[in-house]
Amino acid sequence: MNKKTPAVLNETQQGIWDHIKNMKAEYYALKDMTIESICMPLNIDPVSLYLELKGPAALRSVEDCLNLDTMKAWSGKSVSKYVVELKDRFAVVSKNPEAK
């Protein structure tokens, strides 16, 4: 896949990407970084958004951003809106099943 050509995402993946891509990310000591500047979305699994990481610290940066994005669970406790997992060399972002 050409890095200049964005992936074609389905509705679920695009919704996640639109929600997270402009979140501020702490990435080394660089200023004005967003999730979009440290990773690239890929269409691999129709129910999750795969992110190609641009560096070794990108996973930690994405996790830190998304852990701050919370909502109420059915139990009433506050939980992360998304779950982030590392699979092979990708960060996989999915909606948290505990979140409303």
Side-chain angles (χ1 to χ4, degrees):
M1 180 170 149
N2 183 342
K3 295 228 181 239
K4 294 179 183 178
T5 304
V8 176
L9 305 175
N10 68 27
E11 187 176 337
T12 300
Q13 296 162 333
Q14 190 67 53
I16 294 171
W17 182 242
D18 288 344
H19 184 80
I20 69 171
K21 69 182 178 183
N22 293 318
M23 290 181 171
K24 297 287 182 203
E26 295 292 325
Y27 190 67
Y28 297 107
L30 300 172
K31 293 184 178 185
D32 301 322
M33 298 300 285
T34 62
I35 289 181
E36 184 174 32
S37 58
I38 62 173
C39 55
M40 188 170 105
L42 300 171
N43 183 348
I44 294 175
D45 177 359
V47 297
S48 301
L49 177 65
Y50 275 63
L51 301 175
E52 182 176 6
L53 305 171
K54 293 186 178 176
L59 176 64
R60 176 64 184 216
S61 298
V62 169
E63 287 175 328
D64 289 349
C65 287
L66 297 185
N67 285 338
L68 295 174
D69 189 14
T70 62
M71 61 188 311
K72 294 284 184 190
W74 291 106
S75 64
K77 70 178 182 173
S78 185
V79 296
S80 294
K81 189 172 186 175
Y82 298 103
V83 175
V84 182
E85 301 173 89
L86 181 64
K87 287 190 182 176
D88 193 17
R89 60 175 201 227
F90 304 105
V92 182
V93 181
S94 351
K95 292 182 180 180
N96 187 344
E98 289 185 51
K100 287 184 188 179

